[in-house]
Amino acid sequence: MAVPYKSTPQFDEQSLPDAIRNAHSTKAGVWGLLVVDEGAARLIFHKPRREIAVAPDKLGLIPPQAVHHVETFGPVRLHVEFYRENPLDRADQS
């Protein structure tokens, strides 16, 4: 897997910023990877609408400029990594 050029701090269900909880997107050419270290979260894409369950064994791939938001339910620890190329070797991880 590629090495991120940037990463957010680790957040929990209370400290997750509204900017991540509400609709947003990465810039052109920037891939995001939602990484859940403990618990579970839901990565929700807006157009077309689809949901991805993200857990410690399931990463959430965020393509460039895809409008999305993150929902948590229960205790969680997560962070977001940023890449200049698709960080996953296998497309079925998205």
Side-chain angles (χ1 to χ4, degrees):
M1 191 159 77
V3 176
Y5 71 86
K6 183 179 173 184
S7 182
T8 68
Q10 189 168 78
F11 301 112
D12 64 21
E13 67 279 4
Q14 295 178 353
S15 64
L16 187 68
D18 287 342
I20 294 177
R21 293 181 190 272
N22 296 314
H24 65 284
S25 66
T26 59
K27 296 178 182 178
V30 176
W31 291 81
L33 193 63
L34 178 61
V35 180
V36 172
D37 299 302
E38 288 183 11
R42 188 174 298 125
L43 177 59
I44 301 175
F45 291 96
H46 292 226
K47 292 182 183 178
R49 182 162 177 89
R50 70 182 174 112
E51 297 183 11
I52 298 172
V54 185
D57 63 343
K58 175 74 169 148
L59 300 170
L61 183 64
I62 304 164
Q65 298 181 297
V67 177
H68 63 283
H69 71 274
V70 174
E71 294 180 355
T72 63
F73 39 96
V76 67
R77 286 189 319 124
L78 59 81
H79 68 278
V80 182
E81 298 174 352
F82 299 95
Y83 299 83
R84 300 194 193 286
E85 59 187 20
N86 184 335
L88 300 181
D89 296 330
R90 296 175 19 192
D92 65 352
Q93 291 285 320
S94 63

